[in-house]
């Protein structure tokens, strides 16, 4: 099961305030997710292997707040640990039509974010059938994948396994590791 949570209302020009809002909203919205999943498992005798969260692409919040995107990764990881989910996706950027404010800083932060967090997953959409392929993003992501592997070499290069590079990413994706909550979605929803 994946709970999608919009973080658009957490955007703030002060990154620390924005991160507090992100943490608080995730904890408020997902506080019953794991327990409810466990209750469903017991009732129907069907194991739910992973309980996950997807959030609004964090590059969008970075565009408003500026600052170090690692602060968002840490807030996401702490919130995921607090509510007990296995993964949280959405440390993401959608750059198929080009880079906007917040996109490059987030992408540059991916290797460190995935190396220092346990539950955060990341994705970048670099192209689409309609827009074509952002070749600058493709070149950048080649370097980022390698850095993710290098920074987690002592952990079987697991950082690279928590990163997805898309073409034609759907508007809303509840599947890890490339999960993100689409901007056209409501405030909160559950995908089973």
């Amino acid at each position: 099961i994946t709970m999608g949570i919009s973080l658009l209302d957490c955007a703030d020009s002060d990154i620390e305030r924005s991160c507090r809002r992100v943490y608080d909203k995730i904890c408020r919205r997902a506080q019953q997710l794991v327990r409810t999943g466990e209750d469903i498992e017991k009732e129907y005798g069907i194991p739910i292997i992973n309980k996950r969260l997807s959030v609004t692409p964090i590059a969008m919040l970075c565009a408003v707040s500026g600052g170090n995107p690692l602060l968002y990764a840490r807030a996401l990881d702490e919130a995921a640990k607090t509510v007990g989910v296995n993964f949280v996706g959405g440390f993401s950027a959608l750059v198929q039509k080009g880079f906007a404010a917040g996109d490059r800083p987030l992408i540059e932060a991916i290797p460190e974010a995935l190396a220092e967090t346990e539950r955060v997953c990341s994705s970048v959409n670099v192209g689409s059938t309609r827009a074509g392929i952002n070749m600058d993003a493709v070149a950048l992501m080649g370097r980022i994948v390698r850095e993710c592997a290098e920074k987690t070499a002592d952990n079987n290069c697991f950082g690279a396994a928590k990163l997805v590079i898309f073409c034609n990413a759907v508007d809303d994706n509840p599947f890890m590791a490339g999960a993100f909550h689409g901007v056209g979605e409501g405030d909160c929803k559950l995908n089973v």
Side-chain angles (χ1 to χ4, degrees):
I1 57 176
T2 304
M3 177 177 279
I5 302 172
S6 172
L7 299 180
L8 292 174
D9 59 340
C10 299
D12 194 286
S13 60
D14 180 317
I15 192 168
E16 291 181 8
R17 188 167 41 236
S18 182
C19 287
R20 279 193 304 276
R21 289 178 178 173
V22 165
Y23 176 85
D24 291 344
K25 184 168 187 181
I26 290 172
C27 290
R28 185 175 64 255
R29 287 299 201 158
Q31 66 183 345
Q32 302 299 322
L33 179 64
V34 171
R35 189 175 69 177
T36 302
E38 290 168 349
D39 290 346
I40 292 169
E41 286 178 307
K42 290 175 190 166
E43 182 176 347
Y44 294 103
I46 300 170
I48 300 172
I49 304 304
N50 288 305
K51 289 87 172 170
R52 309 168 298 209
L53 299 173
S54 66
V55 298
T56 304
I58 295 298
M60 297 175 82
L61 276 68
C62 290
V64 175
S65 67
N68 187 347
L70 286 174
L71 297 176
Y72 284 113
R74 292 173 188 145
L76 291 172
D77 203 48
E78 285 305 310
K81 289 175 184 174
T82 298
V83 300
V85 296
N86 305 95
F87 296 106
V88 57
F91 196 76
S92 303
L94 308 174
V95 297
Q96 64 272 16
K97 290 186 172 185
F99 295 99
D103 291 334
R104 279 190 189 267
L106 180 123
I107 291 170
E108 294 286 346
I110 289 172
E112 189 67 34
L114 298 183
E116 80 170 52
T117 61
E118 181 183 342
R119 300 169 194 221
V120 173
C121 294
S122 185
S123 64
V124 177
N125 190 58
V126 299
S128 72
T129 302
R130 177 172 283 170
I133 298 173
N134 179 341
M135 293 306 291
D136 292 331
V138 171
L140 178 58
M141 291 311 299
R143 182 175 57 80
I144 296 299
V145 170
R146 182 181 175 114
E147 286 181 30
C148 286
E150 289 171 350
K151 286 192 176 289
T152 57
D154 60 338
N155 187 21
N156 294 316
C157 301
F158 192 60
K162 297 191 302 176
L163 172 61
V164 173
I165 303 166
F166 285 115
C167 277
N168 290 318
V170 295
D171 290 340
D172 179 62
N173 181 14
F175 304 107
M176 292 302 159
F180 62 88
H181 185 71
V183 295
E185 299 296 323
D187 195 53
C188 186
K189 72 174 192 175
L190 191 62
N191 296 283
V192 179

